[in-house]
Amino acid sequence: MDEIHIVGGKKICGSIVVQGSKNTVLPLMAASLLHAGVSVLRGCPRITDVFCMEEILQRLGAVTWWKEHDLYLDCTRANGTEVPEQYAGKMRCSVILLGALLGRWQKGAIGYPGGCVIGKRPVDLHLYALRSLGAEITEQEGMLHASARKLKGGEIFFAKKSVGATEQAVLAAVLAEGKTVIRNCAEEPEILWLCRYLRSMGARICGEGGPCIEIEGVSALQGGEMKIPADRIVTGTYLCAAAATRGKVTIPNAPEGELDAFLEVYRKMGGQYEWKSGKLIANGMGIRFPVEYLETAVYPGFPTDLQSPLLAVLATVDGESCIKENIFENRFRICQELAEMGAEVQTDGRKVKIRGGRLAGCRVRAGELRGGAALVIAALAAEGYSVVEGNSFIRRGYENLCGDLRAAGGLITEDTGSIYI
Ligand code: EPZ
């Protein structure tokens, strides 16, 4: 059953330990391919995007195994250079494997990752970065083929900031000959974690977290080992669930310093929070103010991945809020569903205006990961019964959304047999 069943109206209150970060672990899995040996990623989220990347690495000849949440990757015998086409569409971020394959084998091929429901998702910046390091790239029958006698360090200047393209450039540069300078690179925490992981493998990198990363290529890397940090977007999602239901949550392992822009908005809405010996305590009982105007932005701005969860909170707040989505061109998919639940919503290109109030439960359908989580949040706040279709989208990035929220007081289940109205 691909449905989540919810009876709304219960406050989300309690302590929730957050899973490891999806957008950190995926590039680290790709980076593990750069070493012909064993690497270990501790505290990995057991989500379908990780299982998909694991399957791709296995198809390339890697051997992987789990010990609880620790993922072992043995790339000793990995010898494949072609990622079967069906994977690129299934998980777009697999495109960064090109940089790792070029680094390891000086060639690689992957299906052209199409767009998705939130936007066209071009890869021009990825290809520009690889070409800047000497790769030749052709597209044949929907496959991208890249090759280079030997990647050479070079100058890369990104016309716009891109998380994936920055990861692509870093993965290709660490084993290239000579120095690479990457300017106007993304500054998201995921970039810092990737660079730290590669440095633990022997890469020579500096500047991550700022606008310019410098890499001195090395001839080989050793095995990496890293504890995956808590997922900042999942943390924000749980704070939104508490805010929408006027509850209070403690996140014992929240990634301090990675959520400032979100927490600023949380406070503007009337929420209160404090960091206490590494724990984030967030009280949503006072949430009542609309957000007059907010724009999503690259880090450290307000993250696009929390735009939909925030919208679900604003659907429960009297008064008009306005959000401008600057990163993706089609990230307001849940507006129609929120309107069906009772919110007044107007979208105009990249802007949405929402006037919230009392929501009524109904059957809604998720079309992508963060929108799905946002619909769960709205349903938890709505009066009565809701069904959120499309749990498979949610499971791509949330290991146990339903279980975590049920443990915190939500009447929510993936198994329709176990909820009493
Ligand atoms: C990463 O996607 C994340 N995914 C996304 O999270 C996140 O929303 C996004 O960064 C922005 O923070 C992973 O890390 C796996 P971008 P990515 O390249 O790398 C344009 C989630 O819900 N662009 O920073 O694909 C692009 O169209 C997902 O967990 C180009 O124009 O994002 C977008 O407008 C959703 N050319 C902007 O840049 C390119 O070659 C930012 O995209 C690449 C991107």
Side-chain angles (χ1 to χ4, degrees):
M1 183 74 83
D2 194 28
E3 296 178 346
I4 297 174
H5 289 240
I6 294 166
V7 172
K10 295 281 182 186
K11 290 181 186 296
I12 296 301
C13 292
S15 176
I16 306 178
V17 175
V18 161
Q19 71 185 60
S21 163
K22 166 178 87 79
N23 294 348
T24 296
V25 71
L26 293 172
L28 267 58
M29 292 175 75
S32 304
L33 201 54
L34 292 166
H35 167 63
V38 180
S39 296
V40 188
L41 301 176
R42 303 202 182 285
C44 277
R46 298 182 71 90
I47 53 178
T48 50
D49 272 12
V50 167
F51 298 143
C52 179
M53 182 65 95
E54 186 184 7
E55 203 178 302
I56 295 172
L57 293 175
Q58 288 166 352
R59 293 288 293 265
L60 295 171
V63 175
T64 63
W65 65 96
W66 290 80
K67 283 182 184 165
E68 295 183 357
H69 279 83
D70 295 347
L71 175 59
Y72 291 76
L73 306 125
D74 183 350
C75 298
T76 311
R77 290 181 186 72
N79 55 9
T81 60
E82 188 157 327
V83 177
E85 190 170 355
Q86 73 261 25
Y87 288 105
K90 212 165 141 187
M91 191 177 66
R92 298 188 59 273
C93 86
S94 52
V95 67
I96 62 173
L97 282 165
L98 261 186
L101 288 167
L102 280 167
R104 178 86 184 260
W105 303 114
Q106 294 75 55
K107 67 175 181 174
I110 189 160
Y112 195 93
C116 70
V117 289
I118 64 173
K120 291 192 287 296
R121 314 296 294 273
V123 291
D124 57 311
L125 298 173
H126 291 249
L127 305 186
Y128 154 72
L130 295 177
R131 288 187 171 115
S132 304
L133 302 183
E136 283 184 23
I137 300 174
T138 56
E139 188 184 339
Q140 296 150 17
E141 290 141 32
M143 288 291 284
L144 284 170
H145 294 266
S147 62
R149 225 173 29 74
K150 177 74 180 145
L151 288 176
K152 291 210 178 321
E155 291 275 332
I156 296 170
F157 173 77
F158 286 123
K160 72 187 289 189
K161 287 179 182 287
S162 158
V163 173
T166 302
E167 291 166 349
Q168 183 80 260
V170 169
L171 287 166
V174 287
L175 289 176
E177 246 164 32
K179 183 175 181 178
T180 296
V181 179
I182 310 168
R183 298 186 197 287
N184 196 32
C185 50
E187 303 177 28
E188 272 70 5
E190 291 76 38
I191 305 295
L192 280 84
W193 291 108
L194 173 61
C195 292
R196 285 176 190 148
Y197 179 64
L198 286 165
R199 202 180 290 120
S200 79
M201 294 171 77
R204 294 172 60 191
I205 304 177
C206 64
E208 71 274 9
C212 179
I213 294 176
E214 294 191 4
I215 296 172
E216 197 64 54
V218 295
S219 55
L221 294 172
Q222 70 233 14
E225 178 168 359
M226 179 162 272
K227 172 86 171 68
I228 302 299
D231 193 307
R232 62 191 175 101
I233 304 302
V234 173
T235 302
T237 303
Y238 287 153
L239 263 69
C240 286
T245 58
R246 311 299 185 264
K248 179 178 176 183
V249 287
T250 297
I251 312 289
N253 64 327
E256 192 161 0
E258 295 186 3
L259 275 163
D260 294 352
F262 169 77
L263 290 171
E264 190 185 331
V265 174
Y266 187 81
R267 192 170 267 160
K268 275 185 184 162
M269 291 190 292
Q272 295 171 319
Y273 72 90
E274 60 173 330
W275 292 96
K276 222 170 177 176
S277 48
K279 293 182 180 182
L280 174 58
I281 300 164
N283 185 342
M285 295 176 177
I287 295 276
R288 58 189 179 287
F289 302 117
V291 172
E292 197 176 325
Y293 185 72
L294 173 73
E295 293 196 17
T296 63
V298 296
Y299 195 86
F302 189 93
T304 175
D305 292 350
L306 284 176
Q307 180 256 101
S308 293
L310 175 69
L311 214 48
V313 179
L314 295 171
T316 71
V317 170
D318 290 334
E320 182 175 279
S321 299
C322 178
I323 299 182
K324 183 164 183 271
E325 170 56 57
N326 286 321
I327 307 298
F328 292 113
E329 56 268 36
N330 188 24
R331 209 162 198 180
F332 291 142
R333 282 180 59 90
I334 63 166
C335 290
Q336 186 189 329
E337 319 282 323
L338 294 178
E340 276 176 39
M341 297 175 96
E344 274 178 50
V345 193
Q346 276 174 306
T347 56
D348 170 17
R350 293 276 189 138
K351 272 187 192 163
V352 61
K353 284 185 180 169
I354 185 164
R355 186 176 287 277
R358 301 181 74 76
L359 299 178
C362 64
R363 178 176 281 270
V364 290
R365 171 144 194 79
E368 40 87 22
L369 167 59
R370 306 303 175 186
L375 291 175
V376 166
I377 292 169
L380 287 166
E383 273 170 40
Y385 196 91
S386 293
V387 176
V388 178
E389 298 172 5
N391 191 18
S392 52
F393 290 108
I394 296 171
R395 299 197 70 84
R396 288 191 53 172
Y398 293 87
E399 180 173 326
N400 192 16
L401 183 73
C402 292
D404 287 342
L405 293 172
R406 187 166 58 246
L411 268 181
I412 176 172
T413 180
E414 291 167 302
D415 161 15
T416 50
S418 68
I419 191 164
Y420 302 101
I421 298 176

